[in-house]
C-alpha cells in the first residue's frame, strides 16, 4: 500500500527537500510500482569543466527518485548504501529517473533507478538500498 495518495501529495511532502527543489527536480508520476522524476538541464551550472553534465547532478536526481519511491513504499525509509554507474554523456535538455523496486523485504528495500535523457539515451544506473525505520 502506498504512503502517498497521489503524486501531488508526494510533491507537497518532498517540497521540504530544499536541495532537490533548488535543483529543479520534479516528481512527474508516482504509483505503487514506479516513480518518475525529471530535471531540466538549464545552463552551465550543471556542467563540469569538460562541458558534460556533472556526475553529482545525475546522482542527485537518482537519489531523489529513490527517496520518493522507497518512502512511498514504506515511510520512513533512509539510504543504507547507494551506487551509481555512469553509462554515457547526456545529449538532451531534460533528464529523467525511473525507479523499479527489486526487493521489498521486512526491514530493507532495493531499487534500480534508470537515468536517461529526453533523447532516450541511458546515461546512468543508480542502485539504492534503503532501511525501513520503525520496523
Amino acid at each position: 500500500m502506498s504512503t502517498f495518495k497521489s503524486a501531488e501529495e508526494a510533491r507537497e511532502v518532498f517540497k521540504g527537500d530544499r536541495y532537490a527543489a533548488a535543483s529543479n527536480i520534479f516528481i512527474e508520476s508516482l504509483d505503487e510500482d514506479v516513480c518518475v522524476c525529471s530535471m531540466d538541464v538549464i545552463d552551465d551550472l550543471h556542467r563540469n569543466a569538460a562541458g558534460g553534465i556533472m556526475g553529482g547532478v545525475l546522482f542527485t536526481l537518482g537519489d531523489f527518485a529513490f527517496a520518493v519511491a522507497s518512502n512511498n513504499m514504506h515511510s520512513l525509509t533512509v539510504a543504507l548504501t547507494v551506487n551509481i554507474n555512469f553509462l554515457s554523456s547526456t545529449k538532451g535538455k531534460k533528464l529523467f529517473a525511473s525507479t523499479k523496486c527489486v526487493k521489498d523485504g521486512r526491514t530493507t528495500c532495493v531499487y534500480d533507478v534508470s537515468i536517461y535523457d529526453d533523447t532516450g539515451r541511458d546515461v546512468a544506473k543508480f542502485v539504492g538500498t534503503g532501511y525501513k525505520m520503525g520496523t
Side-chain angles (χ1 to χ4, degrees):
M1 181 154 100
S2 296
T3 299
F4 307 112
K5 294 181 179 84
S6 65
E8 186 58 43
E9 183 178 340
R11 287 182 200 112
E12 186 64 27
V13 169
F14 281 95
K15 76 178 183 182
D17 188 327
R18 291 184 209 102
Y19 190 75
S23 299
N24 296 312
I25 297 175
F26 181 75
I27 300 169
E28 293 281 342
S29 62
L30 177 67
D31 61 35
E32 285 189 29
D33 298 319
V34 176
C35 172
V36 177
C37 295
S38 68
M39 174 184 194
D40 291 325
V41 181
I42 39 181
D43 57 32
D44 289 340
L45 175 69
H46 295 113
R47 301 205 177 271
N48 60 26
I53 298 301
M54 181 71 84
V57 169
L58 301 172
F59 186 92
T60 298
L61 178 59
D63 187 49
F64 185 75
F66 165 65
V68 174
S70 62
N71 279 281
N72 188 44
M73 183 70 71
H74 177 83
S75 187
L76 173 72
T77 301
V78 297
L80 282 175
T81 186
V82 295
N83 181 41
I84 191 165
N85 290 305
F86 301 106
L87 305 174
S88 65
S89 61
T90 301
K91 298 295 182 191
K93 302 273 189 223
K94 191 168 190 170
L95 295 168
F96 297 90
S98 179
T99 66
K100 177 183 177 190
C101 182
V102 294
K103 178 189 190 287
D104 182 26
R106 187 177 60 79
T107 59
T108 63
C109 59
V110 177
Y111 281 83
D112 281 342
V113 182
S114 296
I115 302 170
Y116 53 96
D117 67 17
D118 55 354
T119 70
R121 178 185 286 257
D122 291 327
V123 296
K125 178 68 83 171
F126 178 104
V127 178
T129 300
Y131 176 73
K132 299 175 180 183
M133 301 292 289
T135 58

